[in-house]
Every structure is written in C-alpha cells, then in structure tokens.
Short mmCIF file of all heavy atoms in Angstrom, two decimals:
data_model
loop_
_atom_site.label_atom_id
_atom_site.label_comp_id
_atom_site.label_asym_id
_atom_site.label_seq_id
_atom_site.Cartn_x
_atom_site.Cartn_y
_atom_site.Cartn_z
N THR A 253 26.45 -14.25 9.35
CA THR A 253 27.81 -14.69 9.07
C THR A 253 28.05 -14.97 7.57
O THR A 253 29.19 -15.08 7.14
CB THR A 253 28.14 -15.98 9.85
OG1 THR A 253 27.18 -17.00 9.50
CG2 THR A 253 28.08 -15.72 11.36
N ASN A 254 26.95 -15.00 6.83
CA ASN A 254 27.08 -15.26 5.37
C ASN A 254 26.58 -14.09 4.55
O ASN A 254 26.12 -14.27 3.42
CB ASN A 254 26.30 -16.54 5.03
CG ASN A 254 26.92 -17.75 5.68
OD1 ASN A 254 28.05 -18.10 5.41
ND2 ASN A 254 26.15 -18.41 6.53
N GLN A 255 26.63 -12.87 5.12
CA GLN A 255 26.19 -11.66 4.42
C GLN A 255 27.26 -10.56 4.57
O GLN A 255 28.09 -10.62 5.50
CB GLN A 255 24.87 -11.16 5.01
CG GLN A 255 23.79 -12.12 5.23
CD GLN A 255 23.28 -12.74 3.96
OE1 GLN A 255 23.36 -12.19 2.87
NE2 GLN A 255 22.73 -13.97 4.07
N THR A 256 27.22 -9.61 3.68
CA THR A 256 28.05 -8.38 3.82
C THR A 256 27.25 -7.18 4.18
O THR A 256 27.77 -6.13 4.49
CB THR A 256 28.88 -8.09 2.54
OG1 THR A 256 27.91 -7.93 1.46
CG2 THR A 256 29.80 -9.26 2.18
N SER A 257 25.91 -7.29 4.13
CA SER A 257 25.02 -6.17 4.44
C SER A 257 23.63 -6.70 4.76
O SER A 257 23.35 -7.91 4.55
CB SER A 257 24.93 -5.18 3.27
OG SER A 257 24.39 -5.81 2.14
N GLY A 258 22.76 -5.82 5.26
CA GLY A 258 21.39 -6.21 5.43
C GLY A 258 20.80 -5.93 6.80
O GLY A 258 21.37 -6.29 7.80
N ASP A 259 19.65 -5.19 6.83
CA ASP A 259 18.87 -5.00 8.04
C ASP A 259 17.85 -6.14 8.14
O ASP A 259 17.58 -6.82 7.17
CB ASP A 259 18.14 -3.65 7.99
CG ASP A 259 19.06 -2.46 7.98
OD1 ASP A 259 20.12 -2.54 8.64
OD2 ASP A 259 18.75 -1.45 7.34
N GLY A 260 17.23 -6.20 9.34
CA GLY A 260 16.11 -7.14 9.48
C GLY A 260 14.85 -6.56 8.87
O GLY A 260 14.27 -7.10 7.91
N LEU A 261 14.43 -5.40 9.42
CA LEU A 261 13.23 -4.73 8.98
C LEU A 261 13.54 -3.28 8.68
O LEU A 261 14.14 -2.60 9.48
CB LEU A 261 12.17 -4.84 10.10
CG LEU A 261 10.85 -4.09 9.90
CD1 LEU A 261 10.07 -4.61 8.67
CD2 LEU A 261 9.96 -4.22 11.14
N TYR A 262 13.19 -2.83 7.48
CA TYR A 262 13.49 -1.46 7.04
C TYR A 262 12.17 -0.76 6.80
O TYR A 262 11.31 -1.23 6.05
CB TYR A 262 14.30 -1.51 5.74
CG TYR A 262 14.61 -0.17 5.15
CD1 TYR A 262 15.57 0.68 5.73
CD2 TYR A 262 13.96 0.29 4.00
CE1 TYR A 262 15.86 1.93 5.18
CE2 TYR A 262 14.24 1.53 3.45
CZ TYR A 262 15.19 2.34 4.02
OH TYR A 262 15.45 3.57 3.47
N ILE A 263 11.99 0.44 7.43
CA ILE A 263 10.74 1.19 7.34
C ILE A 263 11.03 2.61 6.88
O ILE A 263 11.70 3.35 7.58
CB ILE A 263 9.99 1.22 8.69
CG1 ILE A 263 9.81 -0.18 9.25
CG2 ILE A 263 8.65 1.94 8.55
CD1 ILE A 263 9.39 -0.17 10.72
N HIS A 264 10.61 2.96 5.68
CA HIS A 264 10.86 4.30 5.18
C HIS A 264 9.82 4.66 4.12
O HIS A 264 9.99 4.33 2.95
CB HIS A 264 12.27 4.46 4.61
CG HIS A 264 12.66 5.87 4.36
ND1 HIS A 264 13.89 6.20 3.85
CD2 HIS A 264 11.99 7.04 4.54
CE1 HIS A 264 13.99 7.53 3.74
NE2 HIS A 264 12.80 8.05 4.12
N THR A 265 8.73 5.31 4.50
CA THR A 265 7.79 5.84 3.52
C THR A 265 8.11 7.30 3.30
O THR A 265 8.83 7.93 4.08
CB THR A 265 6.34 5.63 4.00
OG1 THR A 265 6.16 6.24 5.29
CG2 THR A 265 6.02 4.15 4.10
N THR A 266 7.59 7.87 2.25
CA THR A 266 8.13 9.14 1.76
C THR A 266 7.28 10.36 2.09
O THR A 266 7.60 11.44 1.59
CB THR A 266 8.34 9.08 0.24
OG1 THR A 266 7.11 8.74 -0.41
CG2 THR A 266 9.37 8.03 -0.12
N VAL A 267 6.26 10.26 2.86
CA VAL A 267 5.47 11.43 3.25
C VAL A 267 5.74 11.76 4.70
O VAL A 267 5.53 10.94 5.56
CB VAL A 267 3.98 11.22 3.01
CG1 VAL A 267 3.19 12.42 3.44
CG2 VAL A 267 3.73 10.98 1.52
N ALA A 268 6.22 12.96 4.98
CA ALA A 268 6.58 13.33 6.34
C ALA A 268 5.32 13.61 7.19
O ALA A 268 4.25 13.93 6.65
CB ALA A 268 7.46 14.59 6.33
N THR A 269 5.46 13.47 8.48
CA THR A 269 4.42 13.77 9.47
C THR A 269 3.14 13.00 9.17
O THR A 269 2.02 13.56 9.32
CB THR A 269 4.13 15.26 9.58
OG1 THR A 269 3.62 15.75 8.34
CG2 THR A 269 5.40 16.02 9.94
N ALA A 270 3.27 11.76 8.73
CA ALA A 270 2.08 10.96 8.44
C ALA A 270 1.86 9.97 9.56
O ALA A 270 2.78 9.29 10.01
CB ALA A 270 2.28 10.20 7.10
N ASP A 271 0.63 9.83 10.02
CA ASP A 271 0.29 8.79 10.99
C ASP A 271 0.01 7.50 10.22
O ASP A 271 -1.09 7.27 9.74
CB ASP A 271 -0.96 9.22 11.82
CG ASP A 271 -0.64 10.34 12.77
OD1 ASP A 271 0.53 10.49 13.11
OD2 ASP A 271 -1.57 11.02 13.21
N THR A 272 1.02 6.69 10.15
CA THR A 272 0.92 5.49 9.29
C THR A 272 0.21 4.34 10.01
O THR A 272 -0.24 3.42 9.34
CB THR A 272 2.32 5.04 8.86
OG1 THR A 272 3.16 4.96 10.01
CG2 THR A 272 2.94 6.00 7.86
N ASP A 273 0.15 4.35 11.35
CA ASP A 273 -0.61 3.37 12.09
C ASP A 273 -0.16 1.94 11.75
O ASP A 273 -0.93 1.01 11.75
CB ASP A 273 -2.13 3.48 11.76
CG ASP A 273 -2.67 4.80 12.26
OD1 ASP A 273 -2.36 5.24 13.34
OD2 ASP A 273 -3.46 5.40 11.49
N ASN A 274 1.17 1.78 11.57
CA ASN A 274 1.72 0.43 11.37
C ASN A 274 1.87 -0.27 12.70
O ASN A 274 2.19 0.35 13.71
CB ASN A 274 3.06 0.52 10.66
CG ASN A 274 2.96 1.08 9.27
OD1 ASN A 274 1.94 0.92 8.58
ND2 ASN A 274 4.00 1.74 8.80
N ILE A 275 1.65 -1.60 12.71
CA ILE A 275 1.74 -2.40 13.91
C ILE A 275 2.72 -3.54 13.67
O ILE A 275 2.62 -4.27 12.69
CB ILE A 275 0.35 -2.97 14.29
CG1 ILE A 275 -0.61 -1.80 14.65
CG2 ILE A 275 0.47 -3.93 15.48
CD1 ILE A 275 -2.03 -2.26 14.91
N PHE A 276 3.66 -3.70 14.63
CA PHE A 276 4.62 -4.76 14.58
C PHE A 276 4.58 -5.49 15.91
O PHE A 276 4.88 -4.87 16.96
CB PHE A 276 6.02 -4.21 14.32
CG PHE A 276 6.10 -3.30 13.13
CD1 PHE A 276 5.92 -1.92 13.25
CD2 PHE A 276 6.23 -3.80 11.85
CE1 PHE A 276 5.98 -1.07 12.18
CE2 PHE A 276 6.26 -2.97 10.74
CZ PHE A 276 6.11 -1.59 10.90
N GLU A 277 4.23 -6.76 15.91
CA GLU A 277 4.05 -7.43 17.20
C GLU A 277 4.42 -8.89 17.09
O GLU A 277 4.28 -9.54 16.07
CB GLU A 277 2.64 -7.26 17.75
CG GLU A 277 1.55 -7.78 16.89
CD GLU A 277 0.20 -7.44 17.46
OE1 GLU A 277 0.09 -7.05 18.62
OE2 GLU A 277 -0.81 -7.65 16.76
N ASN A 278 4.97 -9.38 18.24
CA ASN A 278 5.32 -10.79 18.38
C ASN A 278 6.33 -11.21 17.31
O ASN A 278 6.12 -12.15 16.55
CB ASN A 278 4.09 -11.68 18.33
CG ASN A 278 3.05 -11.30 19.36
OD1 ASN A 278 3.36 -10.88 20.44
ND2 ASN A 278 1.76 -11.53 19.03
N LEU A 279 7.43 -10.47 17.31
CA LEU A 279 8.49 -10.72 16.31
C LEU A 279 9.81 -11.07 17.00
O LEU A 279 10.15 -10.51 18.04
CB LEU A 279 8.72 -9.49 15.44
CG LEU A 279 7.54 -8.93 14.67
CD1 LEU A 279 7.95 -7.68 13.90
CD2 LEU A 279 6.93 -9.98 13.71
N LEU A 280 10.52 -12.01 16.43
CA LEU A 280 11.93 -12.30 16.78
C LEU A 280 12.77 -11.92 15.60
O LEU A 280 12.56 -12.41 14.50
CB LEU A 280 12.08 -13.79 17.11
CG LEU A 280 13.53 -14.30 17.28
CD1 LEU A 280 14.20 -13.59 18.46
CD2 LEU A 280 13.55 -15.81 17.48
N ILE A 281 13.75 -11.01 15.84
CA ILE A 281 14.63 -10.55 14.79
C ILE A 281 16.04 -10.86 15.23
O ILE A 281 16.52 -10.33 16.27
CB ILE A 281 14.44 -9.04 14.48
CG1 ILE A 281 13.00 -8.76 14.06
CG2 ILE A 281 15.44 -8.57 13.44
CD1 ILE A 281 12.66 -7.29 13.93
N LYS A 282 16.77 -11.72 14.54
CA LYS A 282 18.04 -12.21 15.02
C LYS A 282 19.06 -12.38 13.90
O LYS A 282 18.72 -12.49 12.73
CB LYS A 282 17.85 -13.54 15.74
CG LYS A 282 17.35 -14.69 14.85
CD LYS A 282 17.20 -15.99 15.65
CE LYS A 282 16.76 -17.14 14.79
NZ LYS A 282 16.70 -18.41 15.51
N ASN A 283 20.33 -12.42 14.34
CA ASN A 283 21.46 -12.69 13.41
C ASN A 283 21.46 -11.76 12.25
O ASN A 283 21.52 -12.17 11.08
CB ASN A 283 21.40 -14.15 12.94
CG ASN A 283 21.40 -15.15 14.07
OD1 ASN A 283 22.03 -14.91 15.10
ND2 ASN A 283 20.73 -16.29 13.90
N ILE A 284 21.43 -10.46 12.52
CA ILE A 284 21.31 -9.44 11.49
C ILE A 284 22.67 -8.76 11.26
O ILE A 284 23.36 -8.37 12.19
CB ILE A 284 20.28 -8.35 11.88
CG1 ILE A 284 18.94 -9.03 12.22
CG2 ILE A 284 20.12 -7.35 10.77
CD1 ILE A 284 18.30 -9.81 11.09
N LYS A 285 23.07 -8.63 9.99
CA LYS A 285 24.37 -8.06 9.68
C LYS A 285 24.47 -6.58 10.01
O LYS A 285 25.54 -6.10 10.41
CB LYS A 285 24.66 -8.26 8.16
CG LYS A 285 26.09 -7.90 7.79
CD LYS A 285 27.10 -8.79 8.47
CE LYS A 285 28.54 -8.49 8.07
NZ LYS A 285 29.51 -9.35 8.76
N GLN A 286 23.36 -5.84 9.86
CA GLN A 286 23.36 -4.42 10.22
C GLN A 286 22.35 -4.20 11.34
O GLN A 286 22.50 -4.77 12.42
CB GLN A 286 23.12 -3.57 8.97
CG GLN A 286 24.27 -3.66 7.99
CD GLN A 286 24.04 -2.89 6.69
OE1 GLN A 286 23.35 -3.40 5.79
NE2 GLN A 286 24.58 -1.71 6.60
N ASN A 287 21.35 -3.36 11.13
CA ASN A 287 20.37 -3.02 12.20
C ASN A 287 19.22 -4.01 12.22
O ASN A 287 18.69 -4.39 11.17
CB ASN A 287 19.87 -1.60 12.01
CG ASN A 287 20.94 -0.57 12.05
OD1 ASN A 287 21.77 -0.57 12.96
ND2 ASN A 287 21.00 0.31 11.05
N GLY A 288 18.76 -4.35 13.42
CA GLY A 288 17.58 -5.22 13.51
C GLY A 288 16.40 -4.52 12.90
O GLY A 288 15.70 -5.09 12.04
N ILE A 289 16.07 -3.30 13.36
CA ILE A 289 15.04 -2.47 12.77
C ILE A 289 15.68 -1.15 12.38
O ILE A 289 16.35 -0.52 13.20
CB ILE A 289 13.87 -2.22 13.74
CG1 ILE A 289 13.15 -3.52 14.05
CG2 ILE A 289 12.90 -1.19 13.17
CD1 ILE A 289 12.01 -3.36 15.07
N GLU A 290 15.48 -0.73 11.15
CA GLU A 290 16.01 0.53 10.62
C GLU A 290 14.84 1.41 10.23
O GLU A 290 14.06 1.09 9.33
CB GLU A 290 16.92 0.26 9.41
CG GLU A 290 17.25 1.49 8.56
CD GLU A 290 18.45 2.29 9.09
OE1 GLU A 290 19.31 1.65 9.77
OE2 GLU A 290 18.54 3.50 8.82
N ILE A 291 14.71 2.57 10.90
CA ILE A 291 13.72 3.59 10.50
C ILE A 291 14.42 4.56 9.57
O ILE A 291 15.51 5.03 9.84
CB ILE A 291 13.17 4.34 11.73
CG1 ILE A 291 12.70 3.35 12.80
CG2 ILE A 291 12.05 5.28 11.30
CD1 ILE A 291 11.52 2.55 12.47
N GLY A 292 13.82 4.91 8.47
CA GLY A 292 14.45 5.79 7.51
C GLY A 292 14.65 7.20 8.08
O GLY A 292 13.79 7.74 8.76
N ALA A 293 15.83 7.75 7.82
CA ALA A 293 16.13 9.10 8.28
C ALA A 293 15.19 10.14 7.70
O ALA A 293 14.80 10.04 6.54
CB ALA A 293 17.59 9.46 7.94
N HIS A 294 14.81 11.13 8.49
CA HIS A 294 13.91 12.23 8.08
C HIS A 294 12.56 11.65 7.57
O HIS A 294 11.89 12.24 6.73
CB HIS A 294 14.56 13.10 7.01
CG HIS A 294 15.85 13.70 7.43
ND1 HIS A 294 15.94 14.70 8.36
CD2 HIS A 294 17.12 13.39 7.10
CE1 HIS A 294 17.21 14.99 8.57
NE2 HIS A 294 17.95 14.23 7.86
N ASN A 295 12.22 10.52 8.12
CA ASN A 295 10.99 9.83 7.79
C ASN A 295 9.78 10.58 8.37
O ASN A 295 8.82 10.89 7.69
CB ASN A 295 11.05 8.41 8.35
CG ASN A 295 10.21 7.43 7.55
OD1 ASN A 295 9.85 7.67 6.45
ND2 ASN A 295 9.97 6.31 8.14
N ALA A 296 9.93 10.89 9.66
CA ALA A 296 8.87 11.64 10.42
C ALA A 296 7.50 11.00 10.33
O ALA A 296 6.48 11.68 10.32
CB ALA A 296 8.81 13.10 9.93
N ASN A 297 7.49 9.68 10.21
CA ASN A 297 6.19 8.97 10.26
C ASN A 297 5.87 8.64 11.71
O ASN A 297 6.75 8.34 12.51
CB ASN A 297 6.29 7.68 9.44
CG ASN A 297 6.11 7.94 7.96
OD1 ASN A 297 5.12 8.50 7.55
ND2 ASN A 297 7.07 7.57 7.15
#
C-alpha cells in the first residue's frame, strides 16, 4: 500500500539452459505490489 512497484523475489541469471540448483523453502511472501515471485523472461534456468 506504500509502494508503486516491486516484486517479492526476482530470479534472472543470464546463462540459458543452466541447472542452477537453487532452493527456496519455508517462505512467506505477502503484501507485494507486483508479482510474489518473478522469473526472468527467456531465463531458461
């Protein structure tokens, strides 16, 4: 309510088709102005 923009978590690394093996667990994401989790377009991770 006090923002004009903003995701909760943004994930976008720049190498395509990479097995990044990132782990996200036991998270509460709330009250987000835009997307709760945003994966970068054409990321292919």
Side-chain angles (χ1 to χ4, degrees):
T253 58
N254 295 299
Q255 314 295 335
T256 60
S257 62
D259 295 325
L261 175 61
Y262 177 75
I263 307 166
H264 192 180
T265 55
T266 56
V267 176
T269 64
D271 288 339
T272 50
D273 297 317
N274 295 329
I275 297 174
F276 309 94
E277 58 185 349
N278 304 328
L279 303 178
L280 170 62
I281 301 174
K282 64 179 182 177
N283 303 327
I284 306 300
K285 188 64 178 179
Q286 292 176 280
N287 300 310
I289 295 177
E290 166 86 25
I291 310 293
H294 303 288
N295 208 18
N297 280 303

